[in-house]
Amino acid sequence: DWRIVLDRWPDGGEIRLPLSPVRAIKAARVYDAQGAPQSVATGALALDGSADPPVIRLVGAVPVIGRTRGAIEIDVVAGYGDTAAAVPALLRQAVLRLAARWFE
């Protein structure tokens, strides 16, 4: 689980994520001027996990933010899965080779 924190909504309506792969959006909230969290409707954000890097697009109405810093929080699920078998074999092999090289 990861939390993406933004100061404001992007002008273009796309939030490029700094991690990959992203599997799901768990929750999103904005903070009003009093610092109280307001939930963002599930249908207001769309995840494009096949993009490189993954992108969250604003597709519906989103609440207005009320503070200038850390006003938006989006919780996402990132990674290949809960087991080693979910990680692609080539990626597992690359990590093992790097670890062996660094050990030498």
Side-chain angles (χ1 to χ4, degrees), residues 32-101:
D32 61 21
Q34 290 76 33
Q38 306 295 323
S39 294
V40 175
T42 309
L45 303 175
L47 173 65
D48 184 357
S50 62
D52 186 27
V55 174
I56 294 176
R57 291 188 176 87
L58 305 178
V59 293
V62 292
V64 177
I65 60 174
R67 63 185 190 191
T68 57
R69 298 278 183 223
I72 304 163
E73 294 180 348
I74 303 172
D75 297 332
V76 298
V77 178
Y80 288 100
D82 297 333
T83 65
V87 179
L90 289 176
L91 183 57
R92 287 195 317 260
Q93 183 180 20
V95 170
L96 290 172
R97 285 185 175 194
L98 284 171
R101 180 175 176 96

Side-chain angles (χ1 to χ4, degrees), residues 6 14 24-25 33 35 45 69 71 85 88 100:
L6 305 168
E14 289 189 351
I25 299 172
L45 303 175
R69 298 278 183 223

